[in-house]
Amino acid sequence: MSSKEPGYPRPAYAWYMVVLLLVIYTFSFIDRQILGLLGPAIKADFGISDTQFGILTGFAFAVFYTAFGLICARYADSGNRRMLIVIGLFLWSLMTAASSLARSFMSLFLLRMGVGVGEATLAPAANSMLADSFPKERLSTALSVYSMGIPVGSALAFIVGGAVIDFAEKLPDIEVPGYGLMGAGRKPS
């Protein structure tokens, strides 16, 4: 058998793509899970119930992730899948960063919706790209490696996220011009 099968990219390039998509998928799961670590602080700062926090961590994300995932899958069938991933990565990163500026339950809810919309781009485009890059007898392995982003991202969110939260709680409050006094466990004033 030759080093390159007809109709597929070189194996080295195909595996490079798997690793790159794995890294992106890992970061998407870090973005999803990190909010769970901040639950007590978010509930205290916004004065929300466990149910409202559940809506933020589940419903706000999942409904829009699911709905836009179908739209993104349709686009991935015939559109530019790389650009779809780039746009989604930019959007969910922007929405995740903007979540740190949320001042209310509703603003955080809307930003979590944005994270869901952005992350909905990845799976359809990645699965389609991988299916085009591997023959069927190697596709399951490639998809399994890509799917490792779920447990790896979840684990890293809790390990790294916990360390970052611990570090941030030790920092002094700072005054952000136009935003107010901020610090660990402090609502913007």
Side-chain angles (χ1 to χ4, degrees):
M1 180 192 259
S2 70
S3 64
K4 180 181 181 297
E5 297 204 24
Y8 296 103
R10 290 182 329 276
Y13 178 79
W15 282 105
Y16 162 77
M17 185 175 18
V18 170
V19 170
L20 183 59
L21 290 170
L22 166 65
V23 169
I24 296 169
Y25 205 25
T26 298
F27 277 103
S28 80
F29 266 83
I30 291 171
D31 286 353
R32 286 182 211 184
Q33 300 298 322
I34 203 76
L35 193 67
L37 285 172
L38 300 170
I42 290 170
K43 289 188 322 186
D45 284 353
F46 293 157
I48 61 174
S49 67
D50 288 335
T51 301
Q52 288 173 303
F53 184 72
I55 289 169
L56 288 175
T57 56
F59 181 80
F61 176 88
V63 168
F64 289 88
Y65 179 86
T66 303
F68 279 88
L70 295 171
I71 294 166
C72 293
R74 179 77 173 135
Y75 179 79
D77 287 339
S78 59
N80 185 333
R81 298 169 296 190
R82 287 183 191 146
M83 188 54 64
L84 184 61
I85 292 172
V86 167
I87 291 169
L89 178 59
F90 175 78
L91 178 63
W92 93 60
S93 297
L94 180 66
M95 293 294 121
T96 299
S99 294
S100 69
L101 303 175
R103 291 181 172 228
S104 67
F105 169 80
M106 188 51 68
S107 62
L108 188 53
F109 180 87
L110 294 171
L111 291 164
R112 291 300 294 167
M113 285 174 27
V115 172
V117 169
E119 288 192 19
T121 63
L122 181 58
N127 287 323
S128 179
M129 290 171 69
L130 294 175
D132 285 351
S133 300
F134 290 89
K136 69 177 185 171
E137 52 280 347
R138 290 194 186 94
L139 181 58
S140 294
T141 302
L143 288 170
S144 294
V145 171
Y146 163 71
S147 295
M148 288 178 4
I150 298 168
V152 171
S154 295
L156 286 175
F158 289 107
I159 294 167
V160 176
V164 169
I165 290 169
D166 186 50
F167 174 76
E169 287 176 346
K170 295 174 184 167
L171 294 175
D173 293 343
I174 59 169
E175 179 76 30
V176 177
Y179 198 71
L181 191 61
M182 295 185 65
R186 177 185 287 276
K187 233 176 146 171
S189 53

